[in-house]
Amino acid sequence: MQTKPHLQSIVILISGGGSNMAAIVRAAQKEAWDTHYGAQVVAVISNKPDAGGLRLAREHGISTAVLEHGAYGCRDDFDQALAAAVARYDQPNRPALVVLAGFMRILTPGFVAQHAGRLLNIHPSLLPAFTGLHTHQRAIDAGCKYAGATVHQVSAELDAGAILEQSVVPVMPGDTGQTLAARVLATEHTIYPRAIRNWLAAQARA
Ligand code: GRF
């Protein structure tokens, strides 16, 4: 896909299957975000070369890049390389929106500060409950009747930035971490595109 110079760039970071990324790309194409919100998904970057989402992105005509975190000496070096890779898509006076979609790396405070206000994440729990990993099993173990997902701004503290969207699903008798994760994931594909649309609309109004 050709990058159009006047549009807000959206760069999506992934580590795995990329179903959220694909949902965002599909929404951007179906809803003509370029025309309606002046925005375009321009690149998908993975820290894992075998991330299934890379193939999905290419199938949608999106540029892809791989930055293997293991190839960098420390977290700061990796994040600086990542910031440089993202910055390639900045427009004059319009830095890219960075969307973390199953990106399994904790970003340094420096990266977060540099992208403050334009760095979004989706977390598979009803934040502020269950930050970190294994959220679905922890929700089951805690006896929760409901679980869900949260789209939030990324701040220096893990899974703690301003909440933009949430989805809620019931926890069913007999649920395993996997069955609950699948139910939650299906809702992520709705709330993440919606949160991004709202972010873009707010930018346009600002
Ligand atoms: C999602 O559940 C997301 O909330 C979590 O990792 C999963 C990624 O799934 N952070 P996918 O790669 O978007 O399919």
Side-chain angles (χ1 to χ4, degrees), residues 1 35 44 52 65 67 73-74 105 115 118 132 134-135 138 152 161 182 206:
M1 183 186 292
T35 307
V44 170
L67 260 75
C74 65
R105 296 282 304 168
H115 300 84
R118 52 189 179 84
H134 311 301
T135 53
R138 286 160 62 207
H152 63 96

Side-chain angles (χ1 to χ4, degrees), residues 20-112:
N20 276 292
M21 175 277 297
I24 294 162
V25 168
R26 273 197 305 271
Q29 291 175 349
K30 182 161 165 244
E31 298 164 11
W33 287 5
D34 50 355
T35 307
H36 296 297
Y37 303 101
Q40 182 184 25
V41 179
V42 291
V44 170
I45 302 175
S46 172
N47 65 316
K48 297 203 169 170
D50 57 351
L54 288 168
R55 184 180 49 78
L56 274 182
R58 287 188 210 108
E59 282 170 9
H60 281 93
I62 310 289
S63 299
T64 60
V66 175
L67 260 75
E68 278 191 77
H69 59 269
Y72 295 85
C74 65
R75 215 169 259 283
D76 277 325
D77 288 355
F78 173 72
D79 278 15
Q80 275 175 27
L82 187 61
V86 167
R88 289 183 51 215
Y89 299 98
D90 288 349
Q91 302 288 356
N93 302 317
R94 217 170 179 195
L97 170 65
V98 182
V99 172
L100 309 181
F103 185 66
M104 302 305 284
R105 296 282 304 168
I106 294 178
L107 295 163
T108 55
F111 185 100
V112 173

Side-chain angles (χ1 to χ4, degrees), residues 119-123 127 150-155 158-165 192:
L119 183 56
L120 309 184
N121 184 42
I122 190 156
H123 182 76
L127 289 175
T150 304
V151 180
H152 63 96
Q153 296 266 7
V154 177
S155 63
L158 182 69
D159 300 328
I163 290 172
L164 304 179
E165 285 282 346
Y192 216 172

